């Protein structure tokens, strides 16, 4: 089921071609599809860096090659002729390169830095439940590069400002 893309307007210091002038571009993406379970669940927010370099193991937000108004979240698993090979972490969902092939560099929108899990629903208000949520609410994602990656294994980088929002499935 196609999902609409929601992006906010340009940030200050951003040129007509979408490039920033020496500033780090950070934003949010919301996960709506189970293709990245168990790493990401529907309702999770991702702190993303726009225009960041990509390596194998990174979690990225990209435009779907067949419906470019649709943003999807996938893990980069390799480089192939024609672009990046991306797959979801959920083996039962095949809306990835196994379906549409390699993704050109220009369709990669952002690299995920961290996952923000939403607070538990009204049914889980115990102290133990809240402590468990707090311990897992913010997690780095990605290949392990950057300052947090060395400390947390398969992880991403730190966040600076949250100024843009995407909807991705």
């Amino acid at each position: 089921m196609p999902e609409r893309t929601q992006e906010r307007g340009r940030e200050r210091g951003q040129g007509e071609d979408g490039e920033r002038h020496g500033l780090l571009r950070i934003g949010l993406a919301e996960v709506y599809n189970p293709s990245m379970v168990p790493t990401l669940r529907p309702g999770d927010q991702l702190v993303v860096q726009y225009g960041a370099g990509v390596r194998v193991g990174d979690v990225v937000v990209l435009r779907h090659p067949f419906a470019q108004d649709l943003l999807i979240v996938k893990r980069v698993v390799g480089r192939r002729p024609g672009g990046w090979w991306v797959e979801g972490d959920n083996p039962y969902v095949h809306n990835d390169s196994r379906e549409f092939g390699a993704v050109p560099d220009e369709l990669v929108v952002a690299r995920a830095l961290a996952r923000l899990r939403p607070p538990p629903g009204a049914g889980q208000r115990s102290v133990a439940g809240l402590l468990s949520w707090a311990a897992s609410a913010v997690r780095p994602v990605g290949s392990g590069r950057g300052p947090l990656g060395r400390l947390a294994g398969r992880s991403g980088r730190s966040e600076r400002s949250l100024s843009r929002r995407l909807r991705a499935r």
Side-chain angles (χ1 to χ4, degrees):
M1 175 165 103
E3 199 164 322
R4 292 185 194 158
T5 301
Q6 182 180 33
E7 293 184 77
R8 294 198 181 181
R10 289 193 190 115
E11 301 171 38
R12 270 190 248 174
Q14 189 171 359
E16 289 298 316
D17 58 357
E19 294 288 322
R20 294 285 295 197
H21 305 292
L23 299 175
L24 184 62
R25 297 183 308 161
I26 300 291
L28 285 178
E30 186 170 350
V31 178
Y32 286 91
N33 184 290
S35 71
M36 287 297 291
V37 168
T39 307
L40 303 172
R41 297 187 296 213
D44 286 351
Q45 300 279 326
L46 293 175
V47 177
V48 298
Q49 180 180 4
Y50 297 95
V54 175
R55 290 188 187 169
V56 172
D58 285 346
V59 174
V60 295
V61 176
L62 55 116
R63 296 192 181 282
H64 193 289
F66 299 154
Q68 293 186 14
D69 61 332
L70 176 65
L71 295 173
I72 57 176
V73 178
K74 302 295 175 201
R75 184 176 303 280
V76 176
V77 296
R79 187 76 184 175
R80 305 278 168 86
W84 296 103
W85 192 266
V86 297
E87 293 183 6
D89 289 354
N90 185 340
Y92 302 109
V93 178
H94 294 284
N95 185 21
D96 54 27
S97 288
R98 293 170 286 187
E99 178 183 298
F100 49 71
V103 178
D105 290 327
E106 59 269 12
L107 295 183
V108 177
V109 175
R111 182 180 68 217
L113 306 177
R115 176 206 74 207
L116 307 174
R117 187 141 291 157
Q124 292 186 351
R125 295 292 181 185
S126 71
V127 173
L130 288 174
L131 289 175
S132 174
W133 166 78
S136 69
V138 178
R139 285 283 163 97
V141 294
S143 64
R145 295 181 296 147
L148 294 176
R150 287 188 286 280
L151 299 174
R154 287 174 55 106
S155 61
R157 289 119 220 109
S158 63
E159 57 193 84
R160 294 207 184 177
S161 70
L162 306 175
S163 57
R164 293 182 64 187
R165 184 178 171 93
L166 300 172
R167 291 181 58 174
R169 68 176 199 143

